[in-house]
Amino acid sequence: MNMGGPRTLDDVGPFLQNIFLDRDIIKLPAQRLLGQFIAKRRVNKVKDQYRQIGGGSPIEKWTRIQGEGMVDILSRTKPEAGLYSYYVGFRYTEPSISTALESMVKDGIDHVIAFTQYQQYSSSTTGSNFNELYRAQKRLDPKSKLRWSFIDRWGSHPQLIAAFADRVEDQVKKLAEDVRHTTPVIFSAHSLPLNVVDRGDTYVSEVGGTVAYVIDELRRRGVNNPYRLTWQSAVGPLRWLGPQTESAIEAYGRIGIKSLVMVPIAFTSDHIETLFELDIEYGEVAEKAGILQYLRAEALNGYAPFIGALATIVKEHIDCGFPTNPQLLLPDPGPESEQTVLTRKWIASQTAHRLVSG
């Protein structure tokens, strides 16, 4: 499960409209009118961005490579659990969550693990995906023939941390010798509207936790560069979490820093936020700021240790009896939508059913 991305330039408009109509990710007054207005205003600009990275998002390609590799490993390392299949369910584009669910029902699947590919949880990402899953399940599987379990966050898993550290270390080794140990490492994550943060969303602390674990692993390897966590991709009229990645690059250029290593810490697959925003847009910002060596850690994509991590996470979930993370059942302190309450009750009911059936 992930947000997805447009396969072609013709898909950009519907993709943006679906994002700005989703009240889990951004709440606007007169959402349907204002959301459509913002999407239409941005469509030509975003189309041009996708044009510059090849005419569409590669996220489906990487997701399928990861799914195929994960299933292959599971089939070899835990064959006693039965036959494995993977289904791609995107929130804002095809193949959608509904499309995936239709295929599962048609294929006679018995047990489904809803495995978010957002490694840090947010109500605006994984939460939105689970809300859509609930709606699709009620519509397409009204008799609840499918049994569900959930992997809702995994940003501290040791194999994920090691894979991120590998990618960072690879770039640090490319730095000029005289700045190799002093160049800042900038971990960049997708920002959130402050009203989401203020109601107690765990995303900020979980991203910070992933960064802390990666830094600990790098320190263990002798990589002692200074680091910061910044936030990217703020859009629309609301106030967003900062500091913004673009502003941080400019600030470090002003004080004479000449090299940076950028790390997309909340993304595992390349898409527009890495290929355009970090590489092209912020690369130009860095050049104007006087940054002479601007490096970006590769996304995990088809990296074998990362695919191994995915398989391990699923295997551990199976071995432990398909547990539901208690964090998923705890509401945020601030106000939440009626849909979120319904979805949490449904998730809890799936947990109770497994306990009863045993």
Side-chain angles (χ1 to χ4, degrees):
M1 302 179 75
N2 209 330
M3 71 181 296
R7 289 167 168 167
T8 69
L9 295 181
D10 289 339
D11 298 325
V12 171
F15 172 67
L16 290 177
Q17 181 168 297
N18 288 338
I19 290 174
F20 284 103
L21 292 181
D22 182 4
R23 290 182 63 79
D24 289 322
I25 194 169
I26 184 170
K27 285 185 171 64
L28 300 168
Q31 183 99 21
R32 181 156 294 278
L33 291 175
L34 188 54
Q36 289 178 337
F37 174 74
I38 295 173
K40 288 179 180 178
R41 284 196 61 181
R42 289 183 55 80
V43 67
N44 288 333
K45 178 181 179 180
V46 176
K47 273 188 177 181
D48 182 62
Q49 293 172 358
Y50 276 105
R51 191 175 290 111
Q52 292 182 59
I53 65 168
S57 173
I59 194 167
E60 183 180 354
K61 177 190 79 170
W62 289 121
T63 302
R64 293 194 182 280
I65 288 172
Q66 292 157 5
E68 289 167 5
M70 178 190 68
V71 164
D72 177 66
I73 293 171
L74 287 167
S75 297
R76 288 186 283 107
T77 60
K78 196 168 179 61
E80 68 274 17
L83 297 175
Y84 297 92
S85 300
Y86 79 92
Y87 296 82
V88 177
F90 287 149
R91 180 66 180 88
Y92 305 115
T93 58
E94 288 292 337
S96 66
I97 291 170
S98 292
T99 297
L101 194 55
E102 287 172 349
S103 296
M104 292 174 201
V105 172
K106 180 180 178 181
D107 293 346
I109 297 297
D110 176 50
H111 186 116
V112 186
I113 300 172
F115 189 4
T116 179
Q117 294 305 291
Y118 304 99
Q119 63 268 31
Q120 301 99 1
Y121 182 90
S122 173
S123 60
S124 62
T125 53
T126 298
S128 177
N129 276 254
F130 285 174
N131 283 343
E132 181 63 15
L133 176 61
Y134 169 86
R135 290 188 288 262
Q137 186 270 337
K138 291 298 180 185
R139 185 175 70 255
L140 299 170
D141 183 30
K143 295 183 179 179
S144 299
K145 293 181 180 179
L146 295 173
R147 294 179 299 147
W148 292 88
S149 62
F150 307 87
I151 300 175
D152 63 306
R153 68 200 81 200
W154 40 283
S156 61
H157 194 276
Q159 289 178 241
L160 173 71
I161 299 304
F164 269 129
D166 290 347
R167 293 306 212 198
V168 176
E169 190 174 19
D170 287 345
Q171 298 306 310
V172 170
K173 289 177 179 178
K174 295 178 183 179
L175 291 165
E177 180 65 33
D178 60 333
V179 296
R180 185 166 300 158
H181 304 295
T182 58
T183 293
V185 175
I186 308 300
F187 294 91
S188 185
H190 202 295
S191 189
L192 276 184
L194 285 179
N195 58 9
V196 177
V197 178
D198 289 345
R199 69 172 181 251
D201 194 280
T202 60
Y203 174 75
V204 177
S205 61
E206 292 188 21
V207 173
T210 302
V211 170
Y213 280 114
V214 172
I215 288 297
D216 282 348
E217 175 62 19
L218 289 170
R219 298 293 186 256
R220 191 186 65 79
R221 301 180 186 190
V223 179
N224 295 304
N225 298 61
Y227 70 95
R228 286 294 186 272
L229 171 58
T230 63
W231 308 90
Q232 66 181 88
S233 310
V235 295
L238 301 178
R239 292 178 60 240
W240 289 68
L241 181 69
Q244 292 297 306
T245 301
E246 179 178 359
S247 300
I249 294 168
E250 292 170 337
Y252 288 130
R254 283 196 297 270
I255 63 175
I257 289 175
K258 298 300 182 183
S259 54
L260 293 173
V261 173
M262 310 300 295
V263 184
I265 196 62
F267 311 122
T268 57
S269 299
D270 271 324
H271 55 312
I272 196 168
E273 279 85 356
T274 58
L275 298 174
F276 178 81
E277 195 168 2
L278 281 175
D279 290 354
I280 298 175
E281 184 177 5
Y282 294 168
E284 293 174 356
V285 171
E287 184 178 4
K288 291 178 182 178
I291 306 295
L292 302 179
Q293 199 169 15
Y294 177 83
L295 303 177
R296 196 260 289 178
E298 290 185 55
L300 298 177
N301 289 336
Y303 186 44
F306 170 63
I307 294 175
L310 297 177
T312 298
I313 291 165
V314 172
K315 181 179 181 298
E316 291 172 348
H317 183 70
I318 296 170
D319 288 343
C320 292
F322 308 99
T324 299
N325 189 337
Q327 281 285 78
L328 185 57
L329 301 178
L330 180 68
D332 291 338
E336 58 183 4
S337 69
E338 181 180 347
Q339 177 62 69
T340 298
V341 174
L342 290 172
T343 300
R344 187 183 305 110
K345 289 180 178 178
W346 172 65
I347 291 171
S349 74
Q350 296 294 308
T351 305
H353 175 75
R354 289 197 304 276
L355 292 174
V356 170
S357 60

